[in-house]
């Protein structure tokens, strides 16, 4: 008596260009960076250049824009 094997379809192999969905934490982290950078800049302007870090003065703007830039760079990888 011959044994029959169950026929299964082989899984298609993914190409490197296939879009794989992002993990669940990606969107909140991305928008979090953008909002934290925006809040950093707003606090700097509203406080009259006294906050968040008084000793670095206008570099607070660079820090705020840098944090926002991380969020915007993450946005290019959002699927």
């Amino acid at each position: 008596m011959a044994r029959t094997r169950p026929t299964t379809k082989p899984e298609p192999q993914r190409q490197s260009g296939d879009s794989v969905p992002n993990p669940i934490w990606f969107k909140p982290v991305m928008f979090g960076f953008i909002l934290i950078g925006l809040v950093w800049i707003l606090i700097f302007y509203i406080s009259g250049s006294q906050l968040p870090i008084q000793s670095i003065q206008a570099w607070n703007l660079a820090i705020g824009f840098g944090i926002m830039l991380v969020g915007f760079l993450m946005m290019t990888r959002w699927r």
Side-chain angles (χ1 to χ4, degrees), residues 20-27 74 77-79:
V20 178
N22 294 109
I24 193 77
W25 54 266
F26 193 83
K27 247 193 300 187
M74 287 178 73
R77 296 301 214 170
W78 182 18
R79 298 173 199 246

Side-chain angles (χ1 to χ4, degrees), residues 17-55:
D18 287 350
S19 62
V20 178
N22 294 109
I24 193 77
W25 54 266
F26 193 83
K27 247 193 300 187
V29 170
M30 176 183 66
F31 288 120
F33 275 125
I34 294 170
L35 290 175
I36 289 170
L38 179 65
V39 168
W40 191 287
I41 293 170
L42 288 175
I43 289 173
F44 175 71
Y45 276 119
I46 291 171
S47 71
S49 304
Q50 300 299 315
L51 293 173
I53 304 173
Q54 184 178 6
S55 62

